[in-house]
Amino acid sequence: MNKLADQFKEKSTYLGKMSIYKDKNGTQRIKFESEPSWSTIRDMGDLVYFMYVGEKLMKIGKTEATNGFNDRANQYSQGEHKDKTNRKIFSVMRKLRRKVIDVYGISRPRQHTIIKCPISGETYIRQLSTARIVEIDLTNQYLDDGHDLPFCTQN
């Protein structure tokens, strides 16, 4: 493993494992088994997550959904043909002949920001997500350090 991937794991919370299986129709799907409770993961809110296969970091992602990573896990559970990311994950896992992905996450609370309307000049306070900014920054650090992220569709 490498130093950055070690740090990501050390500073985050283990969310659980995702296991690949075939349903009764033969469709490959992912089952998420959370380590903390569903409500604990929901209460973590927006977060940046890290997917590992064994010791290899495979993806850095983010979720800004109402139910946190639970909503993201539900998207992954829809199967191989749900979207481009799912297709990539299943393809890589087939090549690796692996079935389990461990997931870790770091909560990224929303930040209160004062915004000034360019039309009226009125100011107001809004909560803005920081998860995407942190996801992009950590992904760039990791890639700039010479590593790859096999599950990512952006690289």
Side-chain angles (χ1 to χ4, degrees), residues 96-128:
L96 295 175
R97 295 188 171 149
R98 301 291 291 270
K99 300 269 185 207
V100 177
I101 301 163
D102 289 301
V103 184
Y104 295 77
I106 297 176
S107 183
R108 296 304 319 142
R110 293 181 180 225
Q111 298 290 316
H112 287 89
T113 304
I114 298 172
I115 299 172
K116 184 176 182 178
C117 176
I119 307 300
S120 68
E122 181 181 350
T123 59
Y124 43 93
I125 298 174
R126 293 289 184 262
Q127 285 189 350
L128 299 179

Side-chain angles (χ1 to χ4, degrees), residues 14-16 32-45 47 67-71:
Y14 184 66
L15 301 179
F32 178 59
E33 299 172 58
S34 62
E35 186 72 20
S37 68
W38 185 92
S39 59
T40 298
I41 292 175
R42 178 201 61 215
D43 293 346
M44 289 177 75
L47 57 82
N67 292 311
F69 188 78
N70 296 313
D71 286 348

Side-chain angles (χ1 to χ4, degrees), residues 25-83:
N25 298 318
T27 301
Q28 288 206 337
R29 297 195 180 278
I30 291 176
K31 178 182 179 183
F32 178 59
E33 299 172 58
S34 62
E35 186 72 20
S37 68
W38 185 92
S39 59
T40 298
I41 292 175
R42 178 201 61 215
D43 293 346
M44 289 177 75
D46 296 350
L47 57 82
V48 175
Y49 63 89
F50 309 95
M51 297 175 132
Y52 290 83
V53 174
E55 297 300 311
K56 170 73 174 143
L57 179 61
M58 306 298 278
K59 179 176 176 59
I60 300 171
K62 59 106 172 92
T63 182
E64 300 165 324
T66 303
N67 292 311
F69 188 78
N70 296 313
D71 286 348
R72 179 68 76 227
N74 185 51
Q75 288 177 330
Y76 290 131
S77 75
Q78 300 299 309
E80 183 170 11
H81 303 292
K82 169 67 177 162
D83 61 23

Side-chain angles (χ1 to χ4, degrees), residues 83-95:
D83 61 23
K84 188 176 179 180
T85 300
N86 280 23
R87 286 190 294 277
K88 182 88 173 197
I89 290 171
F90 281 97
S91 172
V92 170
M93 292 298 281
R94 259 195 306 279
K95 288 177 188 167

